[in-house]
Amino acid sequence: MDHTDLYSEPESAHVDKRQQMKESVQLRIDARKDALHSLSRDIWSCPELAGEEAHAHDRLVRFLSQDDDDAWTVQTHYVMPTAFRASWGPVAGGEGGPVLNVGFLCEYDALPGIGHACGHNLIAEVGAAAAVGLRAALEKQTELPAPVKITVLGTPAEEDIGGKIELIKAGAFADIDLVFMAHPAQQDASSLPCVALDEVSVKYRGRASHASASPWEGVNALDAAVLAYNSVSVLRQQLKPEWRLHGVIKHGGVKPNIIPAYSEMEFYLRTPRLKDLCDLKAKAEGCFRAAAVATGCQVEITYPSAAYRDILPNATLASLYEMNGRLLGIQFPEQPDNFSGSTDFGNVSAVVPGTHPFFYIGTDAANHTEEYADAAGAEKAQLYTLRTAKALAMTAVDVVCCSDLLRKVREDFSLAKLKQQK
């Protein structure tokens, strides 16, 4: 990326102050590195599923509550039982005006059976570290363009219902102006095009009977699930290359000698843009309903949670992050042509300007594997995690210090929303 046009000429006089603030970010995060590693390791050692993250919630609240003499105002069990909200500031700006509220997001739910194989313990660490780093840069400032406040949101259940969506509905982002988080991956990237996601639950109901003595009396719900699953597999040949449709049979019966009266499947549907999900949902539902007709079962199709939106990119924030990351030694290889991950941060990006970079943690293993879970808890990941937190906080420093950059960020946000609607 070309960073030469990020700073206007009049801003050059403030570069020294900004550099000093960025050094304060790095010094504070380095000073807290042991406490941050302990925070991450504690969350990693006690993996909790979506909505059940009581230990992670308490551990993050304790970390922020103990940061420099209770500097943070913390609301526990905020909106959701395992969400929280911590705030600091505002620091008075020399020009007054509305408060600029900078948000950092922490995720901390684990995966069933394989723990923190998506590295959410490191997301929590990055959010907490970036917040305390930015606070160190701001705490003695009196001549900022506007008063600045920092908010840390604990956002549970990303792997299930999308905790951020629930927080959006409750107004948690209404007073936040910028939002930052970063996610572990196989390489560093200032931005990747996360795709839209919807979850569908499919339940078939038939009639039980003895599978040997009188199978003709039964209506086989498992047959319906198997037929639907195979139909979806055949459908993939006709799907666009970047569309994804994958699922599991969660319930298929209880004993071989009983015709299953009930079966249940769960599928994820993904497309690059939210509006494309409607087409994919129609095709998938055709498979599900056809299987019911073929087997004589009743079918119930539901969408248990709100769809995850694709992330709205913010070119200014991504470019600033990459610039700051390079100063810290982060290398940004060429981005992959396709990326099929999804996140409820996409919904946040539709209501607040933000950025969601990805960071290497010292392994080439894929997310959602046992190998990646091991890497997320390893000490080796700390170098990469903390420098990511520094780069996020340093990016925030750039924006809060420069009205022109803030204007560009907001312009990018408006343009991305218009483009998404087309």
Side-chain angles (χ1 to χ4, degrees):
M1 291 184 181
D2 182 7
H3 312 295
T4 57
D5 62 344
L6 286 174
Y7 300 117
S8 58
E9 189 63 28
E11 289 296 325
S12 60
H14 302 290
V15 169
D16 287 344
K17 182 181 78 170
R18 197 178 304 171
Q19 183 58 37
Q20 291 172 1
M21 293 173 68
K22 292 182 180 182
E23 290 173 358
S24 295
V25 165
Q26 297 176 59
L27 289 171
R28 180 60 60 85
I29 292 176
D30 285 339
R32 301 301 310 277
K33 65 179 183 179
D34 290 341
L36 287 161
H37 186 195
S38 176
L39 169 69
S40 173
R41 182 73 184 185
D42 281 357
I43 295 172
W44 181 86
S45 300
C46 184
E48 298 163 301
L49 300 182
E52 302 174 7
E53 313 97 323
H55 172 74
H57 166 280
D58 294 348
R59 188 64 177 83
L60 280 156
V61 165
R62 187 164 73 250
F63 174 84
L64 291 168
S65 298
Q66 294 174 347
D67 179 49
D68 198 14
D69 251 349
D70 298 329
W72 297 85
T73 300
V74 182
Q75 295 172 262
T76 60
H77 314 296
Y78 175 74
V79 178
M80 303 170 67
T82 55
F84 69 88
R85 183 185 183 104
S87 60
W88 175 85
V91 174
E95 300 175 14
V99 172
L100 179 63
N101 192 351
V102 180
F104 295 97
L105 306 187
C106 297
E107 293 178 7
Y108 34 85
D109 57 329
L111 291 162
I114 50 176
H116 279 289
C118 208
H120 288 194
N121 60 304
L122 301 179
I123 298 177
E125 182 181 2
V126 165
V132 300
L134 181 60
R135 186 179 74 80
L138 295 175
E139 55 191 354
K140 296 181 181 179
Q141 298 300 317
T142 58
E143 298 183 359
L144 298 170
V148 180
K149 180 179 180 179
I150 304 173
T151 296
V152 183
L153 282 177
T155 61
E158 191 276 338
E159 296 286 0
D160 189 6
I161 63 170
K164 297 179 191 63
I165 300 172
E166 297 302 312
L167 291 170
I168 291 169
K169 292 176 182 177
F173 291 90
D175 65 340
I176 294 178
D177 298 285
L178 300 168
V179 66
F180 298 86
M181 71 166 281
H183 197 294
Q186 289 71 51
Q187 66 180 51
D188 286 284
S190 57
S191 178
L192 287 175
C194 287
V195 300
L197 163 72
D198 216 347
E199 173 189 352
V200 58
S201 172
V202 184
K203 299 175 181 178
Y204 292 103
R205 290 180 171 84
R207 184 172 62 248
S209 69
H210 196 291
S212 179
S214 54
W216 53 87
E217 298 289 346
V219 177
N220 197 317
L222 177 58
D223 281 351
V226 171
L227 185 58
Y229 190 94
N230 288 334
S231 296
V232 166
S233 297
V234 172
L235 172 66
R236 289 195 185 97
Q237 185 180 11
Q238 274 69 52
L239 297 182
K240 294 181 179 180
E242 63 272 18
W243 290 10
R244 297 291 184 270
L245 179 55
H246 44 95
V248 295
I249 298 176
K250 298 179 66 175
H251 186 86
V254 290
K255 285 184 70 66
N257 62 349
I258 304 173
I259 297 292
Y262 175 79
S263 65
E264 181 179 351
M265 301 191 299
E266 181 180 359
F267 276 82
Y268 285 176
L269 299 80
R270 304 180 197 252
T271 58
R273 301 181 67 179
L274 183 66
K275 66 179 185 178
D276 296 329
L277 273 178
C278 292
D279 292 339
L280 181 55
K281 287 164 68 173
K283 292 177 182 294
E285 287 186 18
C287 294
F288 303 146
R289 297 188 192 283
V293 172
T295 58
C297 290
Q298 301 296 312
V299 63
E300 176 186 344
I301 302 172
T302 58
Y303 295 85
S305 57
Y308 288 12
R309 302 177 69 103
D310 45 307
I311 291 181
L312 288 185
N314 193 289
T316 299
L317 287 177
S319 189
L320 287 169
Y321 175 82
E322 187 168 326
M323 179 183 66
N324 285 300
R326 290 188 187 280
L327 293 174
L328 296 168
I330 299 176
Q331 297 181 359
F332 295 90
E334 185 176 350
Q335 295 184 7
D337 293 333
N338 295 304
F339 183 75
S340 299
S342 306
T343 170
D344 56 358
F345 185 89
N347 301 66
V348 176
S349 75
V351 296
V352 183
T355 193
H356 183 282
F358 291 80
F359 63 100
Y360 177 70
I361 66 168
T363 180
D364 295 327
N367 294 57
H368 291 210
T369 64
E370 293 180 358
E371 292 80 7
Y372 206 82
D374 291 340
E379 186 173 355
K380 183 180 180 180
Q382 288 303 295
L383 166 67
Y384 309 106
T385 301
L386 294 182
R387 73 179 183 182
T388 298
K390 293 173 184 177
L392 280 184
M394 290 161 65
T395 300
V397 166
D398 284 324
V399 180
V400 303
C401 287
C402 179
S403 299
D404 285 344
L405 286 176
L406 178 59
R407 176 181 53 79
K408 290 179 181 179
V409 167
R410 287 172 169 164
E411 287 176 354
D412 286 351
F413 176 64
S414 297
L415 289 172
K417 289 187 73 174
L418 288 173
K419 183 178 179 181
Q420 189 182 56
Q421 292 168 4
K422 292 181 179 179

